[in-house]
Amino acid sequence: MNFHTVIIIYNPNSTGDSESNAKDFAEKLRQRDAKLKVSIIPTKFAGHAEEIASNYAESEETLIISSSGDGGYNEVINGVMLSEGEASTAVLPSGNANDHHRAVAPDDMLAGIVKARVRKIEVIKVTGMMNGKTWERYAHSYVGFGLTPKVGKVLTEARPNALTEKWHVIKQAFAFKHVKIQTDGEIHRYNSLIAATIDRMSKVIKLDDDASMNDGKMEIYESRFISPLRTIKDLLFASTKGITPTIRTKSFMLSSPRPLLVQLDGEVFTLDAKQQVTLTCEKDRLATLA
């Protein structure tokens, strides 16, 4: 199998290098293989990347690249997953954290495209309720509850620079109370609850070195709430020593007595209260560059 079409999606309003990276990479790709049909498509509104990806997802000879960070790439993989398309996907790192690219991408993306080197990796499917309706989406790297989506939401709204970003994280860590989540029939107060398939997140947090994207299991990291100072301590420990998963599992269920913030990669949503949320690790679900 060879790729005949490469679609590169970028956000013209990004504060990063989304547009310039997309155009530079497209030019290099055309020089490497003149037979490839390479198209660059800008997004026009929130969620447009998902719509574009869905429109081009049908053929397995198509590669859809997101010139973005983890959040923009989340839209692209959902466009493919939810349309049940056969296209492969990849991310051209143009965001803040770029966790997925660091964990998964090949050293030479151009060679991987020209030689059509593809592998299947797992994704996390999240099912819940939003505004009284069934809600279903996928995460390519991690799903977070508690402090993780709270910080993610603030950073998205504030759009800070590298210096002020750390201040926002510390401020939110001190201000964060806790999130009540029910698992196994008991309600606990959590600082954070994370499900992940990669070995890192948010640029600095080290997860399990043994995390695999091909074993059909996600790692669950539970951090019970104690105090703001403990929260800061846990963040520092996670950035230096790393954190150990509580369990490895194919599926995980939870609920919350209140509306629940959830972060899928870089995207933040609010799920309905008192409704079951199911996380399922789907093996060999997403085709990406090897």
Side-chain angles (χ1 to χ4, degrees), residues 96-99 102 162 165-166 200-205:
N96 188 15
N98 302 312
D99 293 316
R102 295 174 190 273
E165 179 184 21
K166 292 182 176 61
R200 70 204 74 187
M201 64 178 289
S202 303
K203 292 187 292 186
V204 298
I205 296 179

Side-chain angles (χ1 to χ4, degrees), residues 185-246:
E186 295 185 8
I187 294 179
H188 300 286
R189 296 192 305 165
Y190 284 93
N191 173 43
S192 65
L193 179 62
I194 299 167
T197 57
I198 63 174
D199 62 358
R200 70 204 74 187
M201 64 178 289
S202 303
K203 292 187 292 186
V204 298
I205 296 179
K206 299 178 181 179
L207 301 177
D208 192 351
D209 289 337
D210 294 329
S212 168
M213 297 199 77
N214 300 99
D215 63 357
K217 292 184 179 181
M218 56 192 165
E219 285 72 44
I220 305 295
Y221 302 86
E222 294 181 300
S223 176
R224 300 285 177 85
F225 180 81
I226 297 179
S227 69
L229 288 176
R230 176 61 184 272
T231 301
I232 297 295
K233 181 180 177 181
D234 286 349
L235 285 173
L236 291 173
F237 190 85
S239 65
T240 55
K241 301 296 184 180
I243 52 178
T244 302
T246 307

Side-chain angles (χ1 to χ4, degrees), residues 116-266:
R117 293 197 295 254
V118 174
R119 63 168 171 156
K120 294 289 187 71
I121 61 174
E122 60 201 22
V123 294
I124 302 174
K125 179 181 179 181
V126 184
T127 304
M129 298 289 291
M130 180 183 290
N131 299 323
K133 299 179 180 180
T134 300
W135 180 87
E136 178 182 297
R137 289 190 72 81
Y138 292 85
H140 53 68
S141 298
Y142 65 85
V143 178
F145 303 90
L147 182 60
T148 300
K150 178 64 176 177
V151 171
K153 184 177 181 180
V154 169
L155 294 182
T156 298
E157 294 172 350
R159 306 180 80 174
N161 57 39
L163 293 176
T164 57
E165 179 184 21
K166 292 182 176 61
W167 161 245
H168 280 288
V169 172
I170 293 173
K171 181 180 178 181
Q172 291 303 315
F174 269 110
F176 186 72
K177 301 300 182 183
H178 59 265
V179 59
K180 289 184 178 180
I181 295 178
Q182 179 174 313
T183 60
D184 296 327
E186 295 185 8
I187 294 179
H188 300 286
R189 296 192 305 165
Y190 284 93
N191 173 43
S192 65
L193 179 62
I194 299 167
T197 57
I198 63 174
D199 62 358
R200 70 204 74 187
M201 64 178 289
S202 303
K203 292 187 292 186
V204 298
I205 296 179
K206 299 178 181 179
L207 301 177
D208 192 351
D209 289 337
D210 294 329
S212 168
M213 297 199 77
N214 300 99
D215 63 357
K217 292 184 179 181
M218 56 192 165
E219 285 72 44
I220 305 295
Y221 302 86
E222 294 181 300
S223 176
R224 300 285 177 85
F225 180 81
I226 297 179
S227 69
L229 288 176
R230 176 61 184 272
T231 301
I232 297 295
K233 181 180 177 181
D234 286 349
L235 285 173
L236 291 173
F237 190 85
S239 65
T240 55
K241 301 296 184 180
I243 52 178
T244 302
T246 307
I247 57 171
R248 285 186 173 87
T249 182
K250 177 177 174 58
S251 63
F252 191 82
M253 291 181 290
L254 59 94
S255 64
S256 175
R258 296 180 179 179
L260 185 63
L261 278 181
V262 57
Q263 182 174 10
L264 280 69
D265 308 316

